Amino acid sequence: MTRLIFRNLLRTKEAIIFLCFSLFPMLLPIAAQFSTKFMQFSGDKGSTDCLSFFGAVLNVNYQTILPMIVLIYLVATTFYTEAREGTLFLYKDISRRKVFMAKTAALAGVVAIYAILLFIVSTAVYYLYMASQPYASDTFLPIDAATAQSAAFDIIGTMFAMLLCLLVAALVSQRFGTGITMLASILYILTSQIAPMLDTLRYFLPNAYSALVDTLGFTPAMGAATALFIIYSAILLAWGNHAYKTLEY
């Protein structure tokens, strides 16, 4: 069922538009041809490796919110729109829990495809264009531990934030329309973006632990971020599954 839903999702215009955002790094060499500060990348000489560049691009895409808006709309379409229009087929031998988990897994698969495509495009842009720039190290991996830790949190923390946003949207869309789902999900995104800057809130969101690496150390910070992600995911999945089982069509 997950495979079937995943294939159907990839054919939707929302999923296609979302995946098109993986082409974002291709705009960097184009923007460099114009005298503008828009999308200008810079850094110390030899400081930027390929993996750090991918982490930065992934984080920037999340910060701009536009890809997430499309993803949230895809989630709302997958749950709320089907319930409202009565287009979901339920079978006696398939529990609603399996349907809900299959849909959620398929949506997570779309996010995974997006991340893979973004990685491929980022790598191509790095070696075809950025490697010739003075700030590029022309290496795939970071040259020091601090840069490696920063790149790891950029990638893993952003993926945690994206998946939690997906689960928030999946939960809210069980009971509310696209507008409320968008509002609630965007509020989560904005909260996750400002969390690293707030002394208290940074302890409660996985991606915010990037600001605590110097204080806690890399391994404890990553462990705490992963633990929070697992706890929040379990709560949102259980709550969303309950809402789906009691949903009336």
Side-chain angles (χ1 to χ4, degrees):
M1 183 183 296
T2 302
R3 217 173 281 152
L4 175 62
I5 296 173
F6 177 69
R7 287 200 298 265
N8 289 336
L9 284 176
L10 288 181
R11 297 190 185 103
T12 63
K13 60 183 179 181
E14 294 86 357
I16 293 172
I17 294 173
F18 175 64
L19 294 178
C20 283
F21 280 100
S22 65
L23 302 176
F24 169 77
M26 296 177 65
L27 296 177
L28 289 173
I30 297 175
Q33 306 305 313
F34 301 93
S35 299
T36 174
K37 293 184 179 180
F38 175 68
M39 292 182 63
Q40 294 299 316
F41 196 92
S42 63
D44 296 333
K45 185 176 180 180
S47 63
T48 306
D49 57 273
C50 182
L51 194 64
S52 297
F53 174 63
F54 166 63
V57 169
L58 182 65
N59 189 42
V60 167
N61 265 17
Y62 178 74
Q63 297 282 343
T64 59
I65 304 182
L66 288 176
M68 297 306 300
I69 288 176
V70 181
L71 177 63
I72 294 164
Y73 188 80
L74 176 63
V75 175
T77 302
T78 303
F79 288 102
Y80 177 77
T81 304
E82 287 189 348
R84 183 190 63 191
E85 297 179 355
T87 57
L88 176 63
F89 293 94
L90 297 175
Y91 299 90
K92 291 182 179 179
D93 58 336
I94 302 178
S95 68
R96 286 199 184 187
R97 176 183 176 277
K98 289 184 178 179
V99 176
F100 173 77
M101 295 302 294
K103 285 189 172 188
T104 305
L107 287 164
V110 174
V111 175
I113 294 296
Y114 161 80
I116 292 171
L117 290 176
L118 186 63
F119 173 76
I120 293 172
V121 176
S122 298
T123 302
V125 170
Y126 181 84
Y127 283 107
L128 294 177
Y129 168 71
M130 293 193 63
S132 62
Q133 304 301 313
Y135 50 76
S137 64
D138 199 19
T139 60
F140 180 78
L141 296 175
I143 57 178
D144 58 74
T147 306
Q149 293 171 3
S150 176
F153 261 107
D154 274 343
I155 296 169
I156 299 174
T158 303
M159 290 302 299
F160 282 170
M162 291 180 67
L163 291 173
L164 286 177
C165 180
L166 185 157
L167 294 177
V168 169
L171 170 62
V172 177
S173 63
Q174 307 294 326
R175 291 288 183 267
F176 302 99
T178 304
I180 299 298
T181 301
M182 285 277 188
L183 177 61
S185 302
I186 291 174
L187 285 175
Y188 164 77
I189 294 172
L190 294 176
T191 301
S192 70
Q193 290 178 359
I194 66 172
M197 298 178 283
L198 302 178
D199 292 337
T200 302
L201 191 57
R202 65 178 58 173
Y203 288 94
F204 294 95
L205 288 176
N207 63 297
Y209 273 79
S210 58
L212 293 168
V213 174
D214 293 338
T215 304
L216 301 177
F218 177 75
T219 302
M222 182 61 74
T226 303
L228 278 179
F229 172 73
I230 293 172
I231 293 170
Y232 291 157
S233 296
I235 293 172
L236 290 169
L237 282 171
W239 197 355
N241 177 57
H242 174 74
Y244 195 73
K245 286 195 297 185
T246 57
L247 189 64
E248 294 183 4
Y249 292 92

